[in-house]
Amino acid sequence: MNETLKEQISALVDGELEGPEQDRIIRQIEQDPQLQHQWERYNLISDALNSHLTGNVRHNLAARVSDALVHEPIVFAPQRKKKHVKDAVKHVAGMAVAASVAVVVVLSVQPEAPVTSVQSTQVATVPAPNDWVRVSGTHWDLQSQPAVESKLNSYLVNHSEYTLSTGMQGVIPYVRIVGYDAE
Amino acid sequence: MLVFSLPVWAQNDSGMVHSWLAKTSEAMRTLNYEGTFVYSHNGKLESMRIIHKVDAYGEHERLVSLNGEAREVIRNNTRITCILPASKSVVVDKSRPKQFFPFSMAARNINRLDKYYEFRLGKQERIAGRMAQRVSIKPRDIYRYGYRLWIDTESGILLKSDMLNTRGRSVEQVMFTDIRINHDIPSEALTPQIVGKEYKWFADDEKPSTEIKPLRTPEWKVSKLPQGYMMAESNHHRLPTSKWPVEHLVYTDGLATVSVYVEKLQGKDDSLHGVSHMGAVHAYGNVVDKHQVTVVGEVPQQAVELIGNSIVHMPGK
């Protein structure tokens, strides 16, 4: 892989690319497993530098997780500033999904709890790291389709900003997200 | 304390209901209040706490679930933050200014809604230990929900609300069990209880908006709308669960709102096929011209189906 590409990927991770340039490199990454691997590496490095990881990240975890997951192309949230890299949702098809999952898994573990079993359980059952509005009960009446539910929730949160508010009705959209299905 | 005086023309039921609705919209937006309420839907009951404070910067709201994990939503003029312990994540997004019930005193708004809803003044009842005026809003067809609202006579705060389906059955209910109104609220009351270092943040603080202003007219159109619904907005969004920008059309009859989201098929199956619902919200998914179309709204199933089945793609400029 040539140096320019490496630089571009690095810039992407750091949130320094925008617009068509960003779109271009994303498309390239999506189509090339080698680029995906590079992307994953840069992400891990970036996160490690930002002390986002415990010592327990094994580099190959991403590859193993990727095998277990269905490949899901996901979106980039455009980054404007370097310092927000660690705050970004960074996803590219396939490999990097695994990287993100690995990061999420690691982050989810309590410091004193053993990493082993929790990690493997989490990895096996987490469908996609972009399920940021995933709630633990089923609120939509769907037969366990967490990816669909997650997408519907992201639509719902967005839609909620457009509903007219009859006072408390304005809060209801969020009540649906916040509400917990105790069963 | 708000004193309600009705203009002369509002002496009939419809007019009086409109006045009450205008007052409650204003009260919910301008007063401090905090309390516990129950939210019931689908035979389930959940309780939550809400804190609402108004200051020079505008409104600040915090919603905390009291059942199960402590989920929170914090909302102010610029952003909305959802804290979700189950996925150990925090999501931050830009909020939009709340659009309120269009119950300004303009007679034309009232006349317009009267075509699609019947407004009735009910009796006064006791809710959360306070006296409340009941008003009902009955839909005139199957494409919208009805509402029963109980409005605090003293402050105008909405104490209880019921969304009703076309058979008059409750699909969703929110009711305060205790509430404090018009008191001083310290800012600490609006800070989240639960954020740990181990949470993953999904945010882009500097991003001006998830909306991308369309450079062209929308390529998608709903050819069959239920009576009274009109397009209010069209936008593009970058949504976290979608690979491509999502086209978003918003329709409203002045009370109910329906969103249509259109995105290119991604080759993975996270799209809705057919109908689903959560409480009073219905969603309908359909594939049109290699795109996934999803209709979402606080409206009955028939409305999302009608809209979802009549979406047309008009590509090309």
Side-chain angles (χ1 to χ4, degrees), chain A residues 75 78 87 89 107 132 139 141 151 154-155 158-159 161-162 165-166 168-169 172 174-176 178 180, chain B residues 46 73 75 80 84 91 96 99 101 161 172 174 202-204 211 240-242 259 261 263 276-278:
Chain A
V75 76
D87 296 339
V89 177
L107 290 180
W132 51 267
H139 282 202
D141 68 344
K151 179 161 250 172
S154 77
Y155 286 155
N158 182 271
H159 168 76
E161 289 296 318
Y162 292 82
S165 171
T166 55
M168 207 139 75
Q169 300 291 131
I172 297 245
Y174 304 106
V175 163
R176 293 183 193 111
V178 167
Y180 174 81
Chain B
E46 293 151 14
V73 171
R75 192 176 187 280
I80 165 154
L84 306 161
V91 183
R96 284 166 49 97
Q99 303 183 67
F101 223 43
S161 86
E172 218 175 51
V174 176
F202 295 81
D204 188 340
E211 287 173 15
T241 49
S242 306
S259 280
Y261 294 98
E263 53 177 287
S276 181
H277 78 95
M278 167 157 64

Side-chain angles (χ1 to χ4, degrees), chain A residues 1-2 17 26 32-33 49 70 72 88 92 107-108 114 117 122 126 128 172 175:
Chain A
M1 177 189 325
N2 66 50
L17 294 186
I26 291 172
D32 186 343
L49 286 176
V70 176
E72 297 172 6
V92 176
L107 290 180
S108 297
S117 53
Q122 289 257 25
V126 167
I172 297 245
V175 163

Side-chain angles (χ1 to χ4, degrees), chain B residues 108-125:
Chain B
R108 60 181 157 79
N109 282 342
I110 293 161
N111 290 336
R112 200 179 172 274
L113 283 163
D114 271 340
K115 280 207 212 103
Y116 313 110
Y117 297 92
E118 188 190 330
F119 295 85
R120 280 248 189 88
L121 203 64
K123 55 185 163 75
Q124 296 199 346
E125 293 172 23

